[in-house]
Amino acid sequence: MMVGMTRAQRTLYSVLGLTGFLLFWELSLRSGLLPGSLVPLPSSIPGVLWLELLDGIWFDVVRSSLSHYSVGVLLGSTLGIAVGISAALLPRFNAAHAWLARLLRPIPPLAWIPFAIIWFGINPSAAAFIISIGVFWINYFASYSAVHSIDPGYDEVARAFGQQRFLARLTKVSLPAAAPGILSGMRAGLGQGWMTVVAAELFGIPGIGQRMMEASSLLATDIVVVYMLTIAALYATFDFLFMVVQRRLLRWQS
Amino acid sequence: MTDSSMTMPPVLSARNVSLGFDDTTILAGVDLTLHPQEFVAVVGASGVGKSTLLRALAGLLAPQSGRVEIPAAITRDSRAWSMVFQAPRLFPWRRVQGNVELGLEGLSLSKAERRRRALEPLALVGLDEFAERWPHTLSGGQQQRVGIARALAVQPRVLFMDEPFSALDAITRRRLQQELVELRRRTEAAIVFITHDIEEAVLLADRVMVLGNGGMDQPARVVEILEVDMPLDDRRDYPEFAPLVQRVETIIGSY
Ligand SMILES: Nc1ncnc2c1ncn2[C@@H]1O[C@H](COP(=O)(O)OP(=O)(O)O)[C@@H](O)[C@H]1O
Ligand SMILES: [Mg+2]
């Protein structure tokens, strides 16, 4: 944070920065400094969004993308958290899968596209699968290290108070103690999901990505920008909602 | 200890217990028999094996040889033993109430009974008003009191306390020592109390068990057991108090 600025001043500068950028962009195009075929006029974006909304196209592609996204994120998070926690709690399982994880981990989600198409065909499952991969790894590592770094003293407390069973320790110590780490992993996964959603749809699965590809082949850069902003808005909304839930769940923290 | 408690069966008996890690033995030949309401303090230099002994007596750690028995079984609504740790070790994700209920979970108690059984010891340590608070909003002394309430809630036959007051400031420590004296009148539990504060040991205990080094490369052992023959109230005022503290200090100093 900058010294000597009030919140209002910071907001003012932020607004100035953003409008200045848009104004510069608009004027560069109007003055011919930038060729109009490369970027759209900012002032044309609201109108184009309105048309996409009127046609119902916006709702259709957003609905499709949201369903790929939700399935992918849900799947990736659930599996990532489950495998991460198991690895941290069960030494044998951890040792058994450690090398496999090290081998698979560096493979970027998009490298799975060929297999996704072979296994699922060009359909929503393929997109969800690709999205789930990146989300999986983020949740896996976050959960593993969250559980791994729990103060062993808590486990001793559980044992001293008759909660030595695996299930009791899992629900009464491991999960709540690791919750801050697990939840930040989930939040990072929510962001990672949006990064892959467009790419996963580029090869013909209906959704925001496909619509952007279509638009770019027609040089409709204004439509491309509409959907870039759509993704930004969706990401911000999900992130905000999750943050509210996260705060609520972690209200015990100082 | 009262004479009637001596005729009752012991709540804990340890026979020739040796403890250690891997193939090194750090403490050997410990015998201890505890009857209801008895209070044994264990003193000794830091690192001599006091905490390890306590964990073995509680069954959290298997002895290398010898036997530990806590004959009392878990009942419908109580546990054989419980423990107060050096740090409060409350679960920060549970409210005070939930922390005190921890040991009651898994017993045959209704939710309402659990609640009541947690509020009782909280009132005893003066914190029933704080039942709905999160642990991080409490001071260190208050947190340690909650830890004591958590241990009392299960109505243990044996209460293990591992330097429970050592992390507290002098004033809080004095107050909690006084509370523990009061508490002894109201609980059936036998207490094994670890401390490195000799005065504290003499202040609270019926017996003081001194652990000391066994010599070059030898495991530590019980070097002396002293009876404290003073009424519980205001022990510091008795003429025997200071000499007894002095004696224990001398014993520890010579090992
Ligand atoms: N988990 C452990 N593994 C190996 N050595 C340990 C372990 N816990 C304690 N020790 C060793 O056992 C000795 C006694 O420790 P402890 O019982 O904590 O002593 P005290 O409570 O009397 O200060 C120390 O030398 C300590 O280093
Ligand atoms: Mg210790």
Side-chain angles (χ1 to χ4, degrees), chain B residues 23-244:
Chain B
D23 40 353
T24 53
T25 301
I26 60 164
L27 182 61
V30 180
D31 288 299
L32 177 65
T33 305
L34 265 185
H35 292 90
Q37 288 192 305
E38 273 189 302
F39 191 124
V40 172
V42 180
V43 297
S46 150
V48 79
K50 303 184 295 295
S51 297
T52 310
L53 172 63
L54 199 70
R55 292 172 64 227
L57 293 176
L60 290 172
L61 180 85
Q64 285 178 329
S65 66
R67 270 199 6 203
V68 179
E69 258 186 277
I70 300 183
I74 179 171
T75 67
R76 191 191 74 82
D77 65 346
S78 73
R79 293 192 184 274
W81 62 272
S82 61
M83 191 175 281
V84 178
F85 302 90
Q86 179 168 357
R89 289 199 188 165
L90 304 180
F91 288 172
W93 55 87
R94 287 180 176 224
R95 292 177 196 274
V96 165
Q97 170 92 30
N99 269 286
V100 180
E101 283 185 18
L102 179 70
L104 301 170
E105 291 163 11
L107 300 180
S108 309
L109 294 167
S110 70
K111 221 172 157 185
E113 280 175 305
R114 265 212 315 260
R115 212 185 139 65
R116 187 181 54 72
R117 280 278 299 273
L119 282 173
E120 263 169 27
L122 271 177
L124 206 62
V125 298
L127 287 177
D128 42 340
E129 308 259 293
F130 291 70
E132 289 307 313
R133 296 267 289 261
W134 295 110
H136 76 85
T137 65
L138 269 53
S139 71
Q142 290 170 328
Q143 290 186 22
Q144 193 57 300
R145 279 198 182 89
V146 176
I148 294 170
R150 173 177 66 184
L152 292 174
V154 300
Q155 297 177 351
R157 237 68 77 246
V158 186
L159 175 58
F160 297 105
M161 305 179 92
D162 190 355
E163 305 202 26
F165 307 146
S166 65
L168 305 173
D169 62 276
I171 295 170
T172 312
R173 182 157 68 234
R174 279 236 173 178
R175 193 181 311 137
L176 288 189
Q177 285 168 348
Q178 195 48 47
E179 282 178 18
L180 190 55
V181 169
E182 297 296 320
L183 195 90
R184 285 197 56 190
R185 296 182 223 282
R186 306 188 205 194
T187 168
E188 290 288 301
I191 298 176
V192 184
F193 186 98
I194 289 191
T195 178
H196 62 246
D197 179 342
I198 293 156
E199 201 180 293
E200 183 173 76
V202 176
L203 188 71
L204 299 169
D206 302 317
R207 265 185 289 162
V208 178
M209 185 187 217
V210 185
L211 304 184
N213 287 321
M216 274 291 272
D217 289 332
Q218 290 294 303
R221 58 192 174 85
V222 178
V223 294
E224 185 113 31
I225 295 175
L226 299 105
E227 298 285 333
V228 185
D229 247 339
M230 280 176 268
L232 264 174
D233 292 301
D234 306 318
R235 271 192 184 168
R236 281 195 181 86
D237 300 342
Y238 281 77
E240 304 98 298
F241 185 79
L244 190 52

Side-chain angles (χ1 to χ4, degrees), chain B residues 4-25:
Chain B
S4 66
S5 71
M6 285 301 286
T7 60
M8 290 162 83
V11 288
L12 180 150
S13 63
R15 289 283 157 269
N16 200 19
V17 168
S18 295
L19 303 163
F21 301 93
D22 303 318
D23 40 353
T24 53
T25 301

Side-chain angles (χ1 to χ4, degrees), chain A residues 125-139:
Chain A
S125 309
F129 170 73
I130 291 159
I131 293 164
S132 73
I133 289 174
V135 176
F136 171 88
W137 288 114
I138 287 184
N139 279 281

Side-chain angles (χ1 to χ4, degrees), chain A:
Chain A
M1 192 175 23
M2 275 179 78
V3 191
M5 269 174 108
T6 64
R7 178 190 280 255
Q9 277 171 321
R10 270 207 314 280
T11 312
L12 181 71
Y13 275 95
S14 302
V15 169
L16 280 178
L18 184 63
T19 44
F21 172 74
L22 291 174
L23 210 67
F24 175 75
W25 176 2
E26 181 88 24
L27 292 178
S28 315
L29 281 167
R30 288 194 186 278
S31 67
L33 215 66
L34 278 175
S37 58
L38 293 186
V39 277
L41 276 173
S43 58
S44 70
I45 303 300
V48 177
L49 171 63
W50 180 242
L51 284 179
E52 292 283 300
L53 287 170
L54 274 189
D55 285 350
I57 297 174
W58 191 89
F59 293 103
D60 285 347
V61 298
V62 166
R63 196 183 306 118
S64 305
S65 284
L66 270 181
S67 84
H68 308 155
Y69 174 81
S70 322
V71 174
V73 164
L74 218 63
L75 200 73
S77 309
T78 313
L79 288 176
I81 292 169
V83 179
I85 291 176
S86 309
L89 290 180
L90 311 167
R92 285 208 190 104
F93 172 68
N94 190 21
H97 89 300
W99 287 11
L100 181 65
R102 237 172 276 167
L103 190 74
L104 294 178
R105 161 70 183 149
I107 302 172
L110 301 188
W112 288 93
I113 288 178
F115 274 118
I117 294 174
I118 293 168
W119 292 341
F120 300 99
I122 300 201
N123 63 38
S125 309
F129 170 73
I130 291 159
I131 293 164
S132 73
I133 289 174
V135 176
F136 171 88
W137 288 114
I138 287 184
N139 279 281
Y140 167 86
F141 281 106
S143 307
Y144 175 83
S145 57
V147 173
H148 194 71
S149 58
I150 295 175
D151 176 358
Y154 289 140
D155 259 319
E156 196 169 57
V157 171
R159 291 207 294 153
F161 287 90
Q163 315 297 328
Q164 59 276 74
R165 283 247 175 76
F166 180 80
L167 200 65
R169 272 163 59 196
L170 178 71
T171 56
K172 291 172 189 191
V173 177
S174 309
L175 287 178
I182 294 175
L183 287 169
S184 25
M186 287 174 79
R187 195 168 162 197
L190 285 179
Q192 159 75 33
W194 285 117
M195 294 179 197
T196 33
V197 82
V198 174
E201 291 165 352
L202 285 181
F203 54 93
I205 298 165
I208 294 176
Q210 194 206 34
R211 179 69 181 148
M212 286 168 80
M213 205 56 188
E214 234 170 52
S216 80
S217 64
L218 301 172
L219 295 181
T221 51
D222 43 8
I223 297 183
V224 174
V225 170
V226 162
Y227 286 101
M228 288 169 78
L229 294 175
T230 300
I231 290 170
L234 287 172
Y235 171 79
T237 310
F238 273 68
D239 191 59
F240 175 76
L241 292 178
F242 189 80
M243 195 190 67
V244 172
V245 175
Q246 190 180 21
R247 279 234 185 105
R248 167 95 196 133
L249 286 175
L250 300 182
R251 66 193 186 286
W252 49 267
Q253 282 185 322
S254 40

